Amino acid sequence: MAITTRLSRRGVFLGGAAAVLAGFAIREYRLIPEDFSGGTLTVAQAHEKAVAGEILLLDIRTPREWRASGIGQGAQPLDMRREDFLDVLDRLSGGDKGRPIAVICARGVRSARLGNRLTEAGYGNILDVPEGMLGSAAGPGWVRAGLPVQAYSEGA
């Protein structure tokens, strides 16, 4: 009986350890941005071009994230989870699928994935901001770079 109990405890321990390791592996995989086939901008370049009207800068994060860190000056908040995302994007871009559109998220993962999807949907000039608002391996991000942000309000 003692041998059975020991094997069961060992099995439970090994199973739990495997589950924890699998969880970390999945988390790390989800934090790796897709290879993006288009161009990229630094946060400083994205800010400069957005304020000058040279690009449409989309902040595709969630309202909770916008409230937490603000929205970069010159960016349009557009939650990528919206069912009418493409309709709103079409309106914001004036129906011009060739207009330069830069996409920013928190750390560059979602923006790369969405940038690829937008390219597949026929948008011809998508740019990624891989630093994101909070920084990534690509750079410090909008907030730590000290670029201006504006507060988000639900009615905006």
Side-chain angles (χ1 to χ4, degrees):
M1 179 122 179
I3 293 174
T4 305
T5 304
R6 182 181 294 164
L7 291 176
S8 295
R9 286 183 183 160
R10 183 177 293 150
V12 168
F13 175 76
L14 291 175
V20 168
L21 289 174
F24 278 118
I26 290 168
R27 178 183 176 272
E28 287 302 312
Y29 171 76
R30 290 184 66 205
L31 292 176
I32 297 172
E34 259 181 37
D35 287 335
F36 180 66
S37 58
T40 61
L41 296 172
T42 66
V43 290
Q45 291 168 328
H47 174 251
E48 179 183 327
K49 290 179 179 295
V51 170
E54 297 174 21
I55 61 168
L56 171 60
L57 177 59
L58 295 178
D59 185 335
I60 61 166
R61 299 174 301 148
T62 65
R64 180 183 55 80
E65 292 173 290
W66 298 327
R67 281 189 295 274
S69 66
I71 300 164
Q73 181 186 43
Q76 291 289 323
L78 180 56
D79 186 341
M80 69 180 282
R81 303 170 307 160
R82 287 179 61 154
E83 287 185 26
D84 63 345
F85 180 89
L86 288 175
D87 294 332
V88 175
L89 176 55
D90 189 49
R91 190 180 77 237
L92 290 172
S93 66
D96 181 1
K97 288 194 172 188
R99 180 176 180 189
I101 299 172
V103 184
I104 190 169
C105 63
R107 299 192 181 275
V109 177
R110 290 173 286 179
S111 61
R113 289 183 177 152
L114 183 65
N116 285 333
R117 302 309 173 282
L118 292 175
T119 300
E120 291 168 5
Y123 288 88
N125 199 355
I126 301 297
L127 302 161
D128 184 25
V129 185
E131 292 178 57
M133 290 296 290
L134 305 178
S136 69
W142 193 289
V143 174
R144 278 193 274 165
L147 295 170
V149 296
Q150 53 200 26
Y152 171 73
S153 65
E154 295 293 327

